[in-house]
Amino acid sequence: ANLNKPENALADYNEVIRRDPNYALAYMKWRRLAAERGQKDKANEDDNEAIRLNPILSEAHINCDRLLNE
């Protein structure tokens, strides 16, 4: 994602989630890319999954992202 290659980043995050479906950070990263691409439903799903997996870390990151995007 930092290399401005969102398709590669999506593939990488998908692979991370495939290998470890409990890794909340991957869902948070996927969520940011989905939101940037206008995929609001996917972004909301990933928000919910990240929060479910790690409420403390996830909410902090998600709330921070929301503040930056307001």
Side-chain angles (χ1 to χ4, degrees):
N2 292 336
L3 298 174
N4 293 320
K5 295 182 179 185
E7 294 303 320
N8 292 353
L10 289 173
D12 290 345
Y13 297 141
N14 282 333
E15 180 63 16
V16 170
I17 290 168
R18 185 187 72 74
R19 290 181 184 203
D20 184 358
N22 295 315
Y23 188 50
L25 184 58
Y27 287 96
M28 290 187 294
K29 298 291 188 174
W30 216 121
R31 172 221 164 284
R32 179 179 286 187
L33 288 175
E36 288 173 2
R37 297 166 57 104
Q39 298 172 328
K40 292 181 181 182
D41 289 340
K42 177 65 175 151
N44 286 332
E45 288 174 22
D46 290 335
D47 273 350
N48 292 332
E49 187 62 14
I51 290 168
R52 185 187 74 76
L53 292 170
N54 189 334
I56 295 169
L57 174 66
S58 300
E59 286 180 300
H61 269 274
I62 291 166
N63 289 334
C64 182
D65 282 349
R66 287 186 181 140
L67 289 174
L68 293 174
N69 291 320
E70 289 181 352

